[in-house]
Amino acid sequence: MSGNRWASEAPCAGDFRFTPEETTAEAPAEPLVALLGVCRECPFRAQCIDLVRPSESLFDGVCGGRLWRNGQVLATCDDAQPAELRERGRRPITHGTEAGARAHNRRGERACSLCREAGRLAQQARRARKRASST
């Protein structure tokens, strides 16, 4: 499935027990470990990890068939595969370039000032070349 539409079809959709408010080091993990059974049959574990990016975001809760605390795996569902843990990261943006402006745009975020300026200058240069070639 493209985008994040799969999230509404995931077995945990709308269940707030997977991301509890109280996730201190002293909070018991047993209730969350029990939730890993729901992840066991879930076909979206890898997409879940890609969406939440638990190690990068220091996630606390259940994501992708694993129990996370502070971005570290505490427990795993029975048939979780190591390959699912790969957070297919976004490529870094080369700021101050036209490519950087496009990368911001693809991510759906407002381009930084350096990338906006580079995009503006590149557009000016294209218009100037077009004018020059049509005369």
Side-chain angles (χ1 to χ4, degrees):
M1 288 188 170
S2 63
N4 296 335
R5 282 182 266 148
W6 60 267
S8 63
E9 297 178 24
C12 61
D15 191 338
F16 295 105
R17 295 176 302 159
F18 286 82
T19 54
E21 294 281 328
E22 187 62 34
T23 57
T24 63
E26 298 81 36
E30 291 81 24
L32 293 172
V33 171
L35 293 174
L36 290 174
V38 174
C39 296
R40 190 189 217 181
E41 301 298 320
C42 182
F44 307 115
R45 289 192 306 244
Q47 291 99 321
C48 187
I49 295 219
D50 276 346
L51 177 66
V52 176
R53 304 172 67 77
S55 63
E56 183 180 297
S57 64
L58 302 178
F59 179 76
D60 291 332
V62 175
C63 172
R66 287 133 181 108
L67 170 59
W68 301 82
R69 184 164 288 148
N70 241 1
Q72 300 294 315
V73 176
L74 297 182
T76 304
C77 71
D78 294 337
D79 63 345
Q81 303 298 314
E84 294 170 339
L85 278 174
R86 217 170 335 143
E87 293 177 23
R88 289 181 276 282
R90 298 176 179 177
R91 293 174 53 185
I93 293 178
T94 308
H95 295 283
T97 64
E98 182 183 13
R102 286 192 307 267
H104 282 293
N105 189 39
R106 278 192 305 273
R107 292 182 182 188
E109 56 192 37
R110 186 168 192 260
C112 67
S113 60
L114 294 173
C115 291
R116 273 195 314 272
E117 181 64 11
R120 186 184 68 73
L121 292 173
Q123 186 175 36
Q124 272 183 345
R126 279 192 302 276
R127 286 180 181 159
R129 283 192 304 271
K130 187 175 181 179
R131 272 187 252 122
S133 68
S134 65
T135 57

